[in-house]
Amino acid sequence: MADMKLVIVGAGGRMGQALIRAVSATTGASVSGAIVSGAVERSDSDVLGQDCGVLAGIGANGVLITDDAEGVFKDADGVIDFTAPAASCAFAELAAKYGIVHVIGTTGCTVEDDAKIESFADKAVIVKSGNMSIGINLLSILVEQAAKALAAADYDIEVLEMHHKHKVDAPSGTALLLGEAAAKGREIDLAENSVRSRDGITGARTDGSIGFATLRGGSVIGEHTVLFAGDGERIELSHIAQDRSLFAKGAVKAALWANGKPAGFYNMRDVLGL
């Protein structure tokens, strides 16, 4: 079976480089693998023209970083995208134009961004998730089950997360993914029941609300804990990311899974069969 040809957008960033390494590690796999067929960066990037393999620390692979996304999309089987909401919306339209797989790990999308991206799912296979980690997606299942089993009147839910100081969105996509899992377990709407910040005299906590606490600092890749706080006990479900490569490996797994699937909008639970 021929290797899947994948474009990495945001190729010059830390996540982009991790994706290049993860894709390259699958090349020539006995069942199915992938190759980096294109690498894209912004037109003002100082890495344009560089060999993406050299930049990622794996040696030259002959794929030069370009700002011509369309030029590399048209010959690819898929694209992996951990960029920014506006860029992901534009890439979704371009992926749909060529009918290729679009794996999206971008966070910070608004409701409008998500709707725009999903509107292209009739022409492309889109896999979008707030976190591509296998562990986080398993954790979301446990959170949903716990939320369903523990009554809102007896157990309060708080989602605590910490990331590095360069992260620009809060709560993180992962925190929101876990909050959505908790809300699903409770059969409530997260947007109507979430508490994003507390300051001053806030009054007593409302039964059934789902709180979010956001920490930023240092080089922390990602730490998430969902707390179920009851009278006399507290249950904590946690995940600690120690290496950015786990997100990259999950994204590559999603791309390989999506290759050949019918057009549609999928998430990591679909990929993992959860």
Side-chain angles (χ1 to χ4, degrees):
M1 181 181 295
D3 285 329
M4 185 180 185
K5 294 182 291 183
L6 290 173
V7 174
I8 306 302
V9 294
R14 289 174 296 180
M15 195 63 219
Q17 292 176 47
L19 286 164
I20 291 166
R21 291 190 291 271
V23 171
S24 299
T26 75
T27 303
S30 59
V31 178
S32 61
I35 60 170
V36 177
S37 64
V40 176
E41 260 296 348
R42 301 185 313 274
S43 58
D44 62 349
S45 173
D46 59 5
V47 300
L48 292 178
Q50 292 188 33
D51 185 293
C52 72
V54 172
L55 185 65
I58 58 173
N61 61 8
V63 178
L64 304 183
I65 300 174
T66 178
D67 61 357
D68 180 14
E70 185 158 11
V72 291
F73 274 43
K74 65 183 181 182
D75 296 320
D77 299 312
V79 54
I80 303 182
D81 172 9
F82 284 70
T83 56
S88 290
C89 288
F91 291 138
E93 183 172 8
L94 195 55
K97 177 179 178 178
Y98 291 103
I100 62 176
V101 170
H102 189 188
V103 176
I104 307 171
T106 301
T107 60
C109 292
T110 63
V111 172
E112 292 75 21
D113 293 330
D114 284 334
K116 183 173 183 180
I117 289 169
E118 193 166 352
S119 73
F120 297 110
D122 61 336
K123 297 179 180 178
V125 183
I126 300 173
V127 181
K128 186 176 187 296
S129 178
N131 193 300
M132 296 288 176
S133 155
I134 293 173
I136 280 290
N137 283 277
L138 288 172
L139 177 61
S140 74
I141 297 291
L142 298 176
V143 168
E144 181 181 334
Q145 292 175 338
K148 184 176 182 179
L150 303 173
D154 299 323
Y155 291 86
D156 301 316
I157 301 177
E158 292 284 315
V159 182
L160 172 64
E161 55 112 338
M162 182 168 186
H163 284 86
H164 54 84
K165 62 184 179 183
H166 301 293
K167 189 165 181 60
V168 299
D169 58 310
S172 68
T174 304
L176 292 172
L177 181 154
L178 295 171
E180 288 285 2
K184 184 177 180 181
R186 288 269 168 93
E187 297 183 346
I188 59 175
D189 182 83
L190 179 63
E192 295 177 358
N193 292 277
S194 67
V195 177
R196 302 293 182 88
S197 63
R198 298 185 178 97
D199 185 39
I201 307 302
T202 62
R205 194 183 198 282
T206 303
D207 283 350
S209 62
I210 298 175
F212 290 84
T214 300
L215 306 178
R216 295 287 180 266
S219 59
V220 176
I221 291 174
E223 298 183 5
H224 297 84
T225 297
V226 181
L227 301 95
F228 296 84
D231 289 337
E233 69 174 356
R234 186 171 71 246
I235 302 163
E236 300 183 5
L237 301 175
S238 299
H239 179 273
I240 298 174
Q242 297 176 317
D243 192 320
R244 197 169 274 104
S245 67
L246 69 94
F247 308 124
K249 290 175 182 176
V252 175
K253 182 181 181 70
L256 293 170
W257 174 88
N259 196 21
K261 291 286 190 300
F265 192 80
Y266 304 91
N267 58 35
M268 281 301 287
R269 288 194 180 190
D270 298 313
V271 174
L272 300 172
L274 298 175

